[in-house]
Amino acid sequence: MSSLQIDAVLSQIRAMQSQIKGVGGGVGAPSNDVAKVAGVESAVQSPTNSFANVMKQGLDSVNQTQARASDLATKFEQGVPGVELPQVMLEMQKASVSFRAVTEVRNRFVSAYQEIMNMPI
């Protein structure tokens, strides 16, 4: 695996982290410039990009990543020329990281929901 591929994966992970921090806000929230690049600002300002739409887009993206990784792994297993093991492993790791990110968002959402439900009226 080349260092360019590793750098690309790291930059994607950092972009996901900045999106998650941007949605949560607070002390560690990214600056407005980072939020604009990550697409968070449009999700916050536009009523058409509700939480449900943003979550659906995230799930669709994870699904596409997992499908692409699965397809690439199948091609590698079948011996299709041009498909190499490092390429397959990189796609599998991308799918794993994106799934873990969505799972963490879901866990935080459930935690916030439970906290709200436990508040006294």
Side-chain angles (χ1 to χ4, degrees), residues 5-120:
Q5 292 172 333
I6 293 171
D7 290 339
V9 171
L10 287 174
S11 67
Q12 288 177 349
I13 291 170
R14 288 183 184 120
M16 285 182 183
Q17 286 177 337
S18 67
Q19 286 177 345
I20 291 170
K21 287 180 182 176
V23 170
V27 177
S31 67
N32 288 337
D33 294 335
V34 174
K36 288 177 188 175
V37 171
V40 174
E41 184 176 87
S42 64
V44 172
Q45 291 180 351
S46 175
T48 59
N49 283 339
S50 66
F51 178 77
N53 288 339
V54 171
M55 193 68 178
K56 183 181 181 326
Q57 289 172 355
L59 290 173
D60 290 342
S61 174
V62 169
N63 186 35
Q64 289 173 356
T65 304
Q66 288 179 334
R68 187 172 44 246
S70 177
D71 184 49
L72 204 56
T74 302
K75 287 181 181 179
F76 178 75
E77 291 168 358
Q78 293 173 347
V80 173
V83 180
E84 298 178 6
L85 183 61
Q87 183 182 13
V88 173
M89 295 303 293
L90 183 64
E91 288 298 320
M92 295 296 279
Q93 286 298 317
K94 285 181 186 178
S96 175
V97 167
S98 63
F99 182 75
R100 284 187 287 173
V102 167
T103 303
E104 186 63 29
V105 169
R106 190 238 15 206
N107 291 343
R108 290 186 184 220
F109 178 70
V110 169
S111 175
Y113 175 78
Q114 288 174 343
E115 188 175 324
I116 290 170
M117 293 306 293
N118 289 331
M119 286 182 179

